[in-house]
Amino acid sequence: MSLWGTLTAEQRAVMITAAEEASLVNVMDEWRARQRWAETGSTRTPSDLTDADKDRLIERFAAVVLDLVNIGWIAVEEHSTPLTDAELSAALDDSKSWISALDGEHRMVMLITTDAWDEASRAVHGPQVSPMPQL
């Protein structure tokens, strides 16, 4: 069994974003793109989420991020500085952390995997790097 296979679709999107050391603004599009790919059978189909759609999903994904932080599988940083619990809560509640604006008015809240994720992955997959999930 793949460690990736034990994750929900939302957790998988967060963990892929963290593995890529990417911004929180990428999480929802990662999630929706993978849904679209499953629907169409083509990886050429991008996310179709609007900013309004993303705004409605913030609470759902904030809970997933917080859960993965609490498990110890991801860390959250802004400006290369780990966030305190209070800063994390504020960042997860702020739509500018989740929605990229054309004028650049968004926060660069970054996700990264932790040693605990690497250890869990090695326990399942052995010493090789855990493969990213396929469709």
Side-chain angles (χ1 to χ4, degrees), residues 34-47:
R34 286 184 175 272
Q35 284 184 326
R36 298 277 315 267
W37 299 346
E39 292 165 3
T40 65
S42 170
T43 58
R44 295 179 186 210
T45 309
S47 170

Side-chain angles (χ1 to χ4, degrees), residues 26-125:
N26 301 109
V27 169
M28 291 183 213
D29 285 325
E30 175 70 40
W31 169 75
R32 183 59 184 140
R34 286 184 175 272
Q35 284 184 326
R36 298 277 315 267
W37 299 346
E39 292 165 3
T40 65
S42 170
T43 58
R44 295 179 186 210
T45 309
S47 170
D48 58 355
L49 292 175
T50 66
D51 288 352
D53 294 332
K54 291 177 186 179
D55 195 55
R56 286 188 292 276
L57 290 168
I58 289 173
E59 187 175 330
R60 175 179 177 177
F61 278 90
V64 172
V65 169
L66 190 56
D67 183 50
L68 292 170
V69 166
N70 290 334
I71 290 170
W73 283 358
I74 63 170
V76 183
E77 299 179 345
E78 191 167 19
H79 307 294
S80 300
T81 303
L83 299 181
T84 66
D85 289 344
E87 291 168 335
L88 176 60
S89 180
L92 294 177
D93 287 341
D94 186 354
S95 64
K96 289 183 179 182
S97 298
W98 295 96
I99 301 171
S100 180
L102 292 176
D103 62 6
E105 285 291 318
H106 64 275
R107 295 175 68 171
M108 291 301 295
V109 178
M110 308 300 288
L111 303 176
I112 56 174
T113 58
T114 64
D115 290 343
W117 167 259
D118 294 340
E119 290 170 17
S121 181
R122 277 193 297 275
V124 173
H125 299 284

